[in-house]
């Protein structure tokens, strides 16, 4: 017969599950069980064992049985016994099987770069903690009980209503809550739309490739599509944005119309109209990645392409740039014909976006905190961009900042052939940033491949920004 006991956490300080076979008597079984627990790493070095009496009571054995077992293991070197500090697992009783070791504290992350100018993240030190906490508190207090049950895969209605109003007002999106599906961000939206296995075998894809993409973009997104067996076809870029006149047999096209990522230009109005015409004529669909659409500094942001034809454009956004990529909250505004298939791809229940987080974001939007935060960050990022441009104008006037005054990053055009050495020099100086080549589609043709740096000016905390710009100017090539 096999007995097992879990002794109480308050006595031992940690749950200890002892598998004790009755073979060979209780004393021998307890010795074996404790030795295995130490050897396997379930009892970490230094762990204090329970007093004889309490373990004996838990296990239903005599006190002396526990005392004898402890004494034996002390003699074998697995345990140590010291007056006043009880019996503990010996410090040198290293587990033999490294894979079964008790997880140790995760080591602190290796120290990051001295100056972090990588694109991709907003200033984490500016996260609106107080306003978010207030929204969260209100959302929890007002949440109906069903918010704590299995979630609707479409997302909370409160958030979809708030987004429908916000996106119409701030981004010119034409929609209603029933066309919005909440997801955990842009990457998740791509998975839902193109992968066939997101919610288990058996469900089909919402969209199929080949998919035209801009010749510059995030390689992470391209890899995600490749993993879904979607072929991506690069569209060359020029001063007016993606050459959508090159669209042919593709079934869909993915664009960053408000602010091409990462090169920084907007899609020209004639191209916006042309891509919608292409979708209408060919039964295609436009995926609009509106990743930083709210952040335009030289004029009012241009509205979403989705506004031109809500039945031909999937508009995708998230809070990753406006608030934080840690929240993992995003949305898809879908043509009606894709709504059911997208919900099916999500599965029967919400498995990604926490309902309380969704309610907090709904409150954050409806209460005006989202607009206030975006306005505040717009001013801050604009000042940072201006500071970068001014520093370059005095210290490296031959380096041009390309693209519009928008977003959270800028592209610095470098003299031909210098990109790699500049990125290397930056790394030596403790500056983290990317070269433009990093973002180029591996099969891109039919256009120049200029040398450049992608500078994420939103990333450093406010107090560290000036030093980061100075350091950057110091590694730029001379005229
Ligand atoms: C081009 C681009 N699209 C979308 C996103 C947003 O991605 P996600 O919503 O998955 O965090 C980012 C990064 O924030 C981005 O750089």
């Amino acid at each position: 017969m096999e007995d097992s006991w879990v002794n109480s956490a308050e006595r031992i300080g940690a749950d200890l599950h002892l598998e004790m076979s009755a073979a060979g008597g209780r004393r021998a079984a307890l010795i074996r069980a404790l030795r295995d627990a130490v050897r396997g790493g379930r009892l970490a070095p230094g762990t204090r064992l329970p007093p004889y009496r309490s373990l004996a009571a838990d296990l239903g054995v005599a006190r002396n049985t526990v005392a004898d077992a402890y004494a034996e293991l002390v003699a074998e070197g697995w345990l140590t016994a010291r007056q006043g500090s009880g019996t503990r697992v010996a410090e040198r009783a290293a587990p033999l099987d490294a894979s079964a070791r008790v997880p140790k504290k995760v080591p602190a992350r290796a120290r990051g770069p001295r100056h972090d100018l990588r694109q991709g993240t907003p200033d984490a030190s500016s996260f609106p903690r107080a306003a978010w906490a207030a929204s969260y508190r209100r959302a929890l207090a007002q949440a109906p009980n069903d918010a704590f049950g299995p979630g609707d895969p479409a997302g909370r209605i409160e958030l979809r209503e708030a987004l429908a109003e916000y996106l119409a007002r701030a981004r010119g999106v034409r929609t209603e809550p029933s066309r919005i599906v909440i997801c955990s961000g842009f990457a998740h939206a791509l998975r839902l739309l193109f992968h066939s296995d997101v919610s288990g075998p058996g469900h089909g894809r919402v969209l199929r490739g080949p998919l035209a993409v801009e010749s510059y973009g995030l390689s992470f997104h391209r890899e995600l599509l490749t993993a879904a067996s979607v072929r991506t076809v690069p569209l060359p870029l020029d001063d007016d944005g993606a050459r959508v006149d090159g669209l042919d047999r593709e079934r869909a096209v993915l664009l960053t119309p408000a602010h091409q990522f990462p090169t920084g230009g907007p899609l020209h109005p004639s191209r916006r109209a042309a891509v919608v015409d292409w979708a209408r004529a060919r039964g295609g669909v436009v995926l609009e990645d509106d990743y930083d659409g709210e952040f335009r500094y030289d004029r009012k942001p241009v509205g979403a392409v989705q506004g031109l034809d809500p039945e031909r454009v999937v508009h995708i956004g998230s809070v990753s740039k406006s608030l934080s990529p840690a929240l993992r909250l995003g949305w898809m505004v879908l043509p009606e014909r894709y709504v059911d298939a997208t919900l099916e791809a999500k599965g029967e229940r919400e498995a990604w976006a926490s309902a309380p987080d969704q309610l907090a974001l709904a409150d954050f939007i409806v209460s005006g905190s989202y607009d206030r935060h975006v306005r505040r960050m717009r001013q801050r990022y604009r000042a940072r961009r201006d500071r970068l441009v001014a520093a370059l104008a005095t210290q490296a006037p031959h380096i041009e900042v390309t693209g519009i005054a928008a977003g959270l990053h800028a592209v610095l055009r470098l003299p031909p052939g210098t990109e790699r050495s500049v990125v290397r020099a930056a790394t030596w100086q403790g500056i983290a940033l990317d070269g433009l080549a990093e973002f180029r589609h591996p099969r891109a043709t039919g256009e120049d491949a200029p040398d450049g740096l992608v500078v994420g000016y939103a990333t450093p905390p406010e107090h560290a920004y000036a030093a980061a710009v100075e350091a950057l100017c110091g590694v730029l090539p001379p005229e």
Side-chain angles (χ1 to χ4, degrees):
M1 192 191 94
E2 290 244 320
D3 289 341
S4 69
W5 292 269
V6 178
N7 72 321
S8 53
E10 66 272 26
R11 290 204 188 116
I12 195 168
D15 264 350
L16 174 60
H17 179 86
L18 292 175
E19 291 285 347
M20 290 187 34
S21 88
R26 303 215 127 190
R27 176 179 171 279
L30 181 55
I31 290 172
R32 253 196 321 276
L34 283 168
R35 196 192 288 123
D36 286 351
V38 174
R39 192 173 11 210
R42 287 194 296 121
L43 272 178
T47 304
R48 187 174 181 158
L49 294 184
Y52 308 147
R53 190 171 305 136
S54 52
L55 187 58
D58 274 354
L59 301 180
V61 300
R63 183 177 169 280
N64 276 350
T65 306
V66 178
D68 283 356
Y70 280 12
E72 175 69 31
L73 291 166
V74 168
E76 289 180 13
W78 296 105
L79 304 179
T80 56
R82 204 166 294 148
Q83 196 72 38
S85 78
T87 307
R88 291 176 184 272
V89 177
E91 286 297 338
R92 279 184 296 141
L96 297 179
D97 177 3
S99 64
R101 221 171 270 168
V102 167
K104 297 269 166 30
K105 263 196 191 154
V106 177
R109 252 176 137 217
R111 246 206 280 138
R114 224 160 356 126
H115 306 290
D116 194 349
L117 291 172
R118 283 172 293 194
Q119 64 73 35
T121 32
D123 172 8
S125 69
S126 298
F127 184 80
R129 294 173 192 237
W132 182 256
S135 282
Y136 220 109
R137 207 173 304 113
R138 276 194 301 270
L140 285 184
Q142 291 161 12
N145 287 342
D146 72 4
F148 304 99
D152 177 351
R156 291 295 307 182
I157 184 64
E158 297 88 337
L159 178 56
R160 290 183 288 126
E161 283 173 354
L163 282 169
E165 185 278 326
Y166 171 78
L167 292 172
R169 172 167 57 76
R171 302 294 305 119
V173 168
R174 289 195 282 150
T175 192
E176 51 202 55
S178 62
R179 306 278 192 92
I180 297 179
V181 173
I182 302 302
C183 56
S184 75
F186 180 80
H188 185 211
L190 277 190
R191 285 194 179 96
L192 288 169
L193 294 174
F194 287 99
H195 278 235
S196 57
D197 58 354
V198 263
S199 64
H203 103 80
R205 294 161 190 262
V206 181
L207 299 177
R208 288 177 178 276
L211 171 70
V213 296
E214 294 157 329
S215 58
Y216 283 81
L218 275 182
S219 57
F220 165 60
H221 292 159
R222 289 193 295 263
E223 284 155 16
L224 205 147
L225 290 158
T226 306
S229 309
V230 175
R231 191 162 63 86
T232 57
V233 181
L235 287 178
L237 297 168
D238 65 17
D239 289 347
D240 290 340
R243 294 283 308 271
V244 295
D245 54 339
L247 283 167
D248 186 23
R249 293 170 178 282
E250 294 81 15
R251 300 187 193 206
V253 55
L254 169 58
L255 299 171
T256 47
H259 186 218
Q260 203 287 320
F261 183 85
T263 60
L267 188 65
H268 191 275
S270 64
R271 301 256 170 102
R272 291 159 62 95
V275 75
V276 170
D277 286 347
W278 165 83
R280 286 176 180 151
R282 295 296 190 92
V285 57
V286 181
L287 304 184
E288 176 172 42
D289 176 3
D290 200 36
Y291 68 104
D292 68 357
E294 290 112 332
F295 294 100
R296 178 109 190 217
Y297 314 126
D298 53 345
R299 47 170 285 178
K300 246 171 82 72
V302 181
V305 171
Q306 191 269 3
L308 299 181
D309 192 340
E311 287 308 322
R312 289 286 148 207
V313 182
V314 177
H315 177 88
I316 306 170
S318 78
V319 299
S320 292
K321 300 282 194 201
S322 54
L323 274 170
S324 160
L327 292 176
R328 302 317 305 149
L329 278 175
W331 47 87
M332 285 178 271
V333 181
L334 294 155
E336 183 156 25
R337 66 188 181 287
Y338 297 135
V339 172
D340 287 347
T342 306
L343 291 176
E344 221 176 275
K346 267 196 96 181
E348 278 177 29
R349 299 166 163 203
E350 175 60 73
W352 284 275
S354 131
D357 287 5
Q358 293 184 44
L359 291 175
L361 180 58
D363 181 277
F364 200 73
I365 294 171
V366 171
S367 64
S369 291
Y370 193 82
D371 286 64
R372 275 192 292 280
H373 179 67
V374 166
R375 259 202 310 275
R376 189 164 67 94
M377 296 317 292
R378 209 183 272 142
Q379 281 170 6
R380 187 164 294 179
Y381 295 149
R382 178 195 189 135
R384 289 190 184 197
R385 191 177 187 282
D386 289 351
R387 184 171 199 147
L388 173 66
V389 171
L392 291 170
T394 54
Q395 298 185 48
H398 55 293
I399 304 287
E400 189 195 352
V401 180
T402 61
I404 51 174
L408 282 62
H409 71 275
V411 173
L412 274 49
R413 191 65 75 87
L414 294 174
T418 60
E419 181 180 308
R420 283 180 66 170
S421 58
V422 174
V423 172
R424 208 173 311 133
T427 307
W428 282 334
Q429 296 302 321
I431 308 166
L433 43 58
D434 294 306
L436 201 47
E438 194 64 26
F439 301 90
R440 190 168 163 84
H441 194 293
R443 293 190 302 282
T445 52
E447 64 185 348
D448 292 342
D451 285 52
L453 294 177
V454 179
V455 177
Y457 49 76
T459 312
E462 195 68 2
H463 66 85
Y465 184 62
V469 170
E470 278 306 300
L472 174 65
C473 288
V475 298
L476 294 173
E479 201 162 0

